[in-house]
Amino acid sequence: MSTPQLVVHHDKELMAQAAAARLITKIVDAQASRGEASVVLTGGRNGNGLLAALAAAPARDAIDWSRLDLWWGDERFLPTGDPERNDTQAREALLDQVPVDPKRVHAMPATDGPWGTDVDAAAESYAAELARAAGPENHGAVPTFDVLMLGVGPDTHVASLFPELPAVRETERTVVGVHGSPKPPPTRVSLTLPAIRSAREVWLLAAGEDKAEAVAIALSGAGEIQAPAAGARGRSRTLWLLDAAAAAQLPRALYPPASP
Ligand SMILES: O=C(O)[C@H](O)[C@@H](O)[C@H](O)[C@H](O)COP(=O)(O)O
């Protein structure tokens, strides 16, 4: 697993804009070398802020939207179109403004879908969809994502993997149903750490002083059960994209040299 790298931007707007520019370049490079790209989106303010910045980016359409596979790291288990769903918010922030191929937008199941309110069956179906998309060259039962993005909660949760709860302890399955999430809504579908760690690059997004303690804990050697963000590592790169407020409690030695 790759050692975390940190980039600290002056404020959350600049962090979102810089991360969006970074994502454009990553997708364009993947499409140039492989003919397609695969990205995992995250819910939350920082994740949606990045998507909104990407929608406004001048270089946005350097991306061939028809050759981009989009997945989610987690989803609030609600009816299709519910404003609280991560995919609803992603569509509003970006996807409704670009010509994505609907067959390559892999939303997680909703409660009005084929599995109804059975979140565990819904999770199994998403795991099966991931496995179908995984090629022989991929590591196990998920495609090799070029970039997997994660917001970081103030308790160090990522996706819907919360400290000490069952989902963060999962070592076999790639997708699980989450019951009793401390962050509402209580029922969710989430990738697990093994699935997260199959990504080439994992980018963790954290802005605001309410994340400063979580960032310091996750980067200070805490275990992944107590601090799930600490276990979110990419195969070739793990990148923490922060603003100065979220980096404020980091030991100075961890602070990147060019930071504001
Ligand atoms: O479904 C969700 O809520 C998200 O996937 C969750 O993991 C989020 O990314 C973090 O809670 C950070 O959220 P903020 O960026 O809004 O603080």
Side-chain angles (χ1 to χ4, degrees):
M1 285 197 295
S2 51
T3 304
Q5 289 175 289
L6 281 66
V7 176
V8 180
H9 292 292
H10 184 265
D11 57 45
K12 72 175 183 319
E13 289 76 20
L14 190 55
M15 186 266 266
Q17 289 158 357
R22 184 185 293 273
L23 185 60
I24 291 171
T25 302
K26 180 56 67 178
I27 293 171
V28 169
D29 285 355
Q31 291 179 335
S33 64
R34 295 197 340 264
E36 59 183 6
S38 175
V39 171
V40 181
L41 303 180
T42 181
R45 291 161 299 174
N46 294 144
N48 289 317
L50 185 157
L51 297 183
L54 179 46
R60 177 185 90 182
D61 295 327
I63 292 171
D64 180 343
W65 294 100
S66 68
R67 291 184 296 136
L68 175 62
D69 280 291
L70 292 169
W71 304 86
W72 270 266
D74 74 333
E75 186 56 272
R76 294 94 178 267
F77 197 49
L78 297 164
T80 305
D82 187 294
E84 281 304 302
R85 278 180 62 92
N86 291 332
D87 69 337
T88 305
Q89 295 175 10
R91 292 180 198 285
E92 286 166 3
L94 172 67
L95 304 187
D96 289 347
Q97 302 170 53
V98 290
V100 290
D101 176 351
K103 293 190 302 301
R104 302 185 85 156
V105 178
H106 307 275
M108 287 182 158
T111 53
D112 55 337
W115 294 272
T117 56
D118 182 344
V119 70
D120 299 313
E124 282 174 27
S125 75
Y126 202 72
E129 184 173 356
L130 284 163
R132 286 193 298 275
E137 75 287 357
N138 292 147
H139 288 242
V142 297
T144 299
F145 308 120
D146 293 291
V147 178
L148 184 148
M149 295 185 286
L150 294 166
V152 179
D155 60 356
T156 74
H157 79 258
V158 290
S160 290
L161 308 177
F162 294 90
E164 309 279 358
L165 295 188
V168 74
R169 300 172 189 275
E170 177 63 43
T171 57
E172 301 299 324
R173 290 177 291 169
T174 56
V175 189
V176 292
V178 174
H179 305 263
S181 162
K183 177 177 182 182
T187 308
R188 292 155 167 260
V189 179
S190 184
L191 296 189
T192 59
L193 283 178
I196 289 169
R197 290 198 278 251
S198 68
R200 283 191 181 86
E201 299 196 13
V202 169
W203 299 1
L204 296 105
L205 311 171
E209 61 184 346
D210 62 320
K211 304 298 177 68
E213 186 181 14
V215 169
I217 290 167
L219 288 168
S220 63
E224 64 192 31
I225 304 300
Q226 293 76 22
R233 301 281 188 91
R235 294 194 353 259
S236 59
R237 192 180 200 192
T238 302
L239 186 58
W240 283 73
L241 296 171
L242 306 171
D243 73 348
Q249 292 184 28
L250 282 175
R252 199 65 203 164
L254 268 180
Y255 227 82
S259 298

